[in-house]
Amino acid sequence: MDLVHLLQGFAVALSWYNLGLMLIGILLGIVVGVLPGLGGPNAVAILLPMTFSMQPTSAIILLSCIYWGALFGGAITSILFNIPGEAWSVATTFDGYPLAQEGRAGEALTSAFTGSFIGALSGVVLITFLAPLVAKFALKFGPPEFFAVYFLTFCSFVGMGKGSRFKIVAAMALGFGLAAVGMDTISGQLRMTFGIGQFLRGFDFLVVVIGLFGISEILVTLEEGLAFKGKKAALDLQVVLRTWKQLPRYWLTLLRSSAVGCWLGITPGGAVAASFMGYGLAKKFARDPDRFGRGAIEGVLAPETAAHAAGTSALLPMLALGIPGSATAAVLLGGLMVWGLQPGPLLFVEQPQFVWGLIASMYLGNIAGLVVVLSTVPLFAAILRIPFAIVAPLIIVACAIGAFSVHGAMFDVWLMLVFGVVGYVFKKLDYPLAPMVLAVVLGDRAEDAFRQAILGSQGDLRVFWSHPLSASISSLALLLLFWPLITALIHRLRPARQAVAPT
Amino acid sequence: MSAEAEQTEASSPRVPRWMVELAVAALLLAIGVVMIVSNAQIGAGWAADGPQSGYFPLRMGVLLALSSVGIGVQALRMPKDLTFVRWDQLKPVLQVTIPMVGYVALIQFTGMYVASALFVAAFMKVMGKYPLWKSVLTGVLSSAVLFWVFEIKFSVPMPKGPLEALFGY
């Protein structure tokens, strides 16, 4: 049955108009991925207002293709310039740049792109088969279950996150606070507006994203004083084919990275964590781990596959539950609401054309992405040679235009500047930005679910444990929340046992 | 952090990280308290029709305030020699941030396109040391492209000033 839907989706996606948008999206995405200071979530946020008048299906095809392009593009700078264009391609520099130094840039790029493609494909296949089931299952959800899933999302940020847990909680709570500013959707009462007229509208997440990810990224980049000294890349068909011939040898690495990526994408671990984990696992299981860091093909393949698998499967909870698994997915979810679609499990029932068109476009977009990126590497490497003194003001102008066009309000441009500085400080102090953005996007929906759930129980929080379904999700959330404590406990018990064992 | 980075670190004044951590924690605490007070005023308890408007945000404020205290404690405990930013790093950041504020202020008077052209040109001239004609050309061209994309192609209205009015927009 699903295959019929998928074929219908292909019929939607395969129009000339949509194919053209796909190509534009991928090219824009690669540019965005190549340029430091213009990340995936930011670019999608800037372009979102331009799609307000488009068909939702075409709009999301354009924006999701920017996302795929950004995932591909990040690898180019990592390998040729040793500069990760995106956070998820940091792990790619470990082996990609040494390969380029040896003059094997072509091989490194081919394996990076192919790995990305395979990772994305496994993510899309997972979405194709799992998302409808999850959505169907979620149709049974009531407010307690939905809040439990939101709770799970945020708990896994706290439990799985690195660094100070307080900072994760603070970023999240701040995001919820920002989301609450303005008119309360249920009672119509004004909250935290402090008599300032501009606050009535509340803080739009797009403005927050453009500031937090765009402006702040420019500031961080400026500080490092970028000097682009790149390796030359010659990518001809021969190199591509020769590299492809080698790849089947690494099937286990590909499989492992895909699995890790898919898992971390669905739970909001995200592409960044996935790329490092993929790299770590490949090194751990390699027969000769010493080669890693000095130019191992697997060292490029593993993180790229995992990052792309995570980036893709982050869209699964967004489509099936209305809960995004990454910052970019959060922006896309915000787009759904702007286009007048109600995210959540009903989307599969009410808007099958949209959902399956998007899924089909994921297949096509990634195939097109692979072809485009393989054939245009020299062009994009040239873009990186454009000095930052030209690129930076253009990006800032693009951010200002993006922030203004959300509501046509000058106040939003000022707000963008404020969030740019906030993002700069937060980045330097290792506050996580993703949970904050997620909280801004999901704030109202999470709050509504919470209020409806406790309304039914007259304020008794045990309502989240009153049904087996919500009880198991809530318990899982708590388990994830306290996961660091649990593992610490296990670690404390284990050495005692090991001390006895080897006698 | 490489060896050369350490060298400049010694020669350039720096802002210690723990101070910034503490300042941000204090700011977050203040925001948390404001959230608590503001929502308590509009009612954060239980009414006849269920939870009041302030119910959820107030609890988020509590969460923010508590975690900011945790961050503050961590800041006090962290090694005092960690650097938040060095002056030689902060200088280019300020060199861009301050003109950026000027740029946003200028938009209100000249409109988006003129301000953008001026900003791009000035940025290239001052930060990139480009010749004046190259800077001005890039600024004007980029604004022209933006005007074509937004006003003509996508009809997304941007703030416009006297110059655009001259052309009848």
Side-chain angles (χ1 to χ4, degrees), chain A residues 158-211:
Chain A
V158 178
M160 299 292 160
K162 280 179 290 185
S164 165
R165 299 270 181 307
F166 290 124
K167 285 182 181 168
I168 305 176
V169 175
M172 207 184 75
L174 185 63
F176 275 116
L178 289 172
V181 172
M183 199 189 286
D184 175 13
T185 45
I186 293 181
S187 69
Q189 194 163 19
L190 294 179
R191 300 194 291 194
M192 295 184 274
T193 52
F194 310 107
I196 302 169
Q198 309 278 13
F199 277 17
L200 292 182
R201 253 189 299 116
F203 295 116
D204 196 287
F205 74 98
L206 287 171
V207 178
V208 177
V209 167
I210 292 171

Side-chain angles (χ1 to χ4, degrees), chain A residues 388-407:
Chain A
F388 198 61
I390 303 178
V391 173
L394 290 177
I395 295 176
I396 293 170
V397 168
C399 289
I401 289 180
F404 180 85
S405 58
V406 177
H407 289 293

